Amino acid sequence: MKVFWDPICLLHDPPYEILSGDKVPYFESPARLQVIKKELEEHPSLFQLELTDSSSGSIDIIGNVETVHGRGYLNYLRNAYDEWVRDGGSVDAVLPNTFPHQKLVPRLSQSHVDSLSPVAKAGYYCFDLSSPITKVTYSSVIASVNVALSAARELAITSGSCRPKVGVFALCRPPGHHAGTSLSGGYCFVNNVAVAARFLQGFNQRPTDKPSVAILDVDYHHGNGTQEIFYSDPSVRYVSLHAEDDYPYFTGSTTEKGIDDGVGANINYPLPRGTQDSEYCAVLSNAVEDIKKFDPGYLLLSLGVDTFVDDPISDFKLSPSCYTHIGRVVADMGKPTLFVMEGGYHLETIGKNVRAVLQGFEEQG
Ligand code: OKP
Ligand code: ZN
């Protein structure tokens, strides 16, 4: 399996996050990527690592990102830190003071938003206190989505030739599934899996032959951003298994099924805290059935391993063997599959658990 990554993804390293009122070290650390990469490098017969370079111009990164995100939001991500520091903000990072709660403000025009002060803009474009923007954040965010795009391109090319079952892994960070069209949060800025999905739908296609895609999200947290982006889109099915009553708290219920033409294309499986292998696997097979019925041209997996029993910020109790099982079940769907890295915060085990998923996929059938 080819594995794409970029050392620029390591630069984003905020000094802290605010977690339930405490200032704590940033869980979504560069070390996460290092340990996963190291684990995969120790199995060279299974994994071939490929470096990407977001300055090479080989993919129109911004053009692809704009298929998902608003231009005003992207300009904000690029300029926020410099404007913030110029305005006297902390050199550590951009973090908001207030959020434009629906009862607090009417709909704002883009020109109004563009004229806001840096700290007000931060509140407008961000929904929590876990995605600080530092001096180097934008570089890592662009490298991260370029990793996903490069892996998607590889998948599109190799699945077009006649290999029976093909998987490619985008080893990217920062992660993406909480990022909405114009909203950062939950360690996420650009929705890597969403941008890759749109890329695959447009690759070498006449608009009339646009392939459908399914996104299976197995991260512990609900991918509110991915849900929002595709909520009215019948060509992208989003299926998520996640913890109910945990972060991001306000999304992920079974009643969220999509809107307009997209009704039925959004499927949530909230699971209780403490969920173990047997329960998880049973629900996973329902999710797999949903995707099989949809029969997508591509499958994208939002791969979080924060469902592991020892994860420091999560409350499921999955064992190591469950990750091999996830990989096998995904392989059984028989689709060209793009694995995109999301969460997982227990540094001692995330490498092994990610490897188990990918190895389970490769060795199946
Ligand atoms: C990102 B991903 C509350 C923790 C809140 C933000 C979590 C973001 C998770 N227990 N902190 O989906 O792994
Ligand atoms: Zn997560």
Side-chain angles (χ1 to χ4, degrees):
M1 181 182 287
K2 283 198 176 162
V3 177
F4 288 80
W5 80 290
D6 189 328
I8 302 297
C9 290
L10 300 167
L11 297 181
H12 172 65
D13 190 12
Y16 55 81
E17 62 182 276
I18 308 292
L19 183 55
S20 305
D22 290 318
K23 200 167 171 176
V24 299
Y26 203 64
F27 279 99
E28 201 286 285
S29 66
R32 300 176 56 249
L33 197 144
Q34 298 275 35
V35 298
I36 299 165
K37 174 177 159 278
K38 180 163 181 289
E39 176 71 27
L40 301 182
E41 277 172 341
E42 282 167 12
H43 297 81
S45 60
L46 281 168
F47 304 108
Q48 296 84 51
L49 275 88
E50 304 252 348
L51 272 174
T52 65
D53 175 2
S54 56
S55 66
S56 71
S58 122
I59 295 179
D60 175 10
I61 305 172
I62 300 299
N64 278 288
V65 172
E66 283 182 349
T67 66
V68 167
H69 296 283
R71 188 163 292 179
Y73 175 61
L74 290 176
N75 288 337
Y76 162 75
L77 290 180
R78 191 176 59 245
N79 300 323
Y81 182 82
D82 289 345
E83 288 182 7
W84 172 266
V85 171
R86 217 178 298 138
D87 196 54
S90 162
V91 295
D92 283 350
V94 177
L95 270 186
N97 290 331
T98 59
F99 300 97
H101 196 273
Q102 51 177 327
K103 290 291 166 62
L104 190 68
V105 286
R107 280 184 69 93
L108 302 175
S109 67
Q110 187 63 47
S111 60
H112 184 152
V113 174
D114 292 342
S115 74
L116 293 170
S117 72
V119 70
K121 252 186 219 174
Y124 182 77
Y125 284 122
C126 175
F127 67 83
D128 73 2
L129 297 179
S130 59
S131 35
I133 297 176
T134 71
K135 197 175 173 52
V136 294
T137 296
Y138 184 73
S139 304
S140 289
V141 166
I142 292 300
S144 186
V145 70
N146 187 51
V147 166
L149 285 164
S150 303
R153 180 173 61 183
E154 174 70 20
L155 184 71
I157 293 166
T158 48
S159 63
S161 66
C162 48
R163 273 188 60 188
K165 180 197 75 189
V166 50
V168 180
F169 180 36
L171 178 49
C172 50
R173 79 172 278 275
H177 73 151
H178 296 301
T181 51
S182 296
L183 212 47
S184 68
Y187 312 147
C188 302
F189 303 89
V190 161
N191 196 311
N192 304 312
V193 81
V195 174
R198 291 261 197 255
F199 173 88
L200 287 168
Q201 290 194 297
F203 190 82
N204 268 351
Q205 291 292 330
R206 293 189 298 268
T208 46
D209 309 330
K210 189 176 80 168
S212 62
V213 305
I215 300 173
L216 174 61
D217 190 332
V218 298
D219 187 279
Y220 172 85
H221 304 95
H222 181 241
N224 59 288
T226 313
Q227 169 170 298
E228 181 241 310
I229 289 160
F230 298 116
Y231 210 53
S232 62
D233 187 341
S235 72
V236 179
R237 176 160 288 201
Y238 177 66
V239 184
S240 176
L241 279 69
H242 52 268
E244 63 186 352
D245 307 321
D246 204 337
Y247 184 94
Y249 308 110
F250 302 106
T251 65
S253 91
T254 56
T255 60
E256 296 156 18
K257 297 176 192 296
I259 201 165
D260 299 334
D261 292 345
V263 170
N266 194 89
I267 304 179
N268 285 323
Y269 287 104
L271 296 162
R273 286 170 188 257
T275 290
Q276 301 186 3
D277 290 4
S278 58
E279 194 180 354
Y280 192 90
C281 292
V283 175
L284 182 63
S285 58
N286 295 339
V288 164
E289 287 311 309
D290 297 334
I291 290 169
K292 280 187 182 162
K293 270 181 233 152
F294 187 62
D295 193 28
Y298 293 100
L299 174 62
L300 287 78
L301 192 80
S302 264
L303 176 55
V305 294
D306 43 5
T307 46
F308 188 60
V309 59
D310 290 332
D311 192 273
I313 66 169
S314 309
D315 259 322
F316 283 177
K317 294 197 161 73
L318 301 198
S319 76
S321 67
C322 200
Y323 295 97
T324 306
H325 176 80
I326 292 171
R328 288 179 181 152
V329 165
V330 167
D332 281 340
M333 282 187 269
K335 300 293 179 186
T337 303
L338 182 66
F339 296 85
V340 179
M341 194 65 218
E342 302 284 0
Y345 305 96
H346 187 248
L347 291 175
E348 293 76 10
T349 55
I350 51 174
K352 287 193 176 2
N353 290 336
V354 167
R355 172 167 66 86
V357 173
L358 303 176
Q359 192 167 353
F361 177 92
E362 286 291 281
E363 292 175 353
Q364 182 71 353

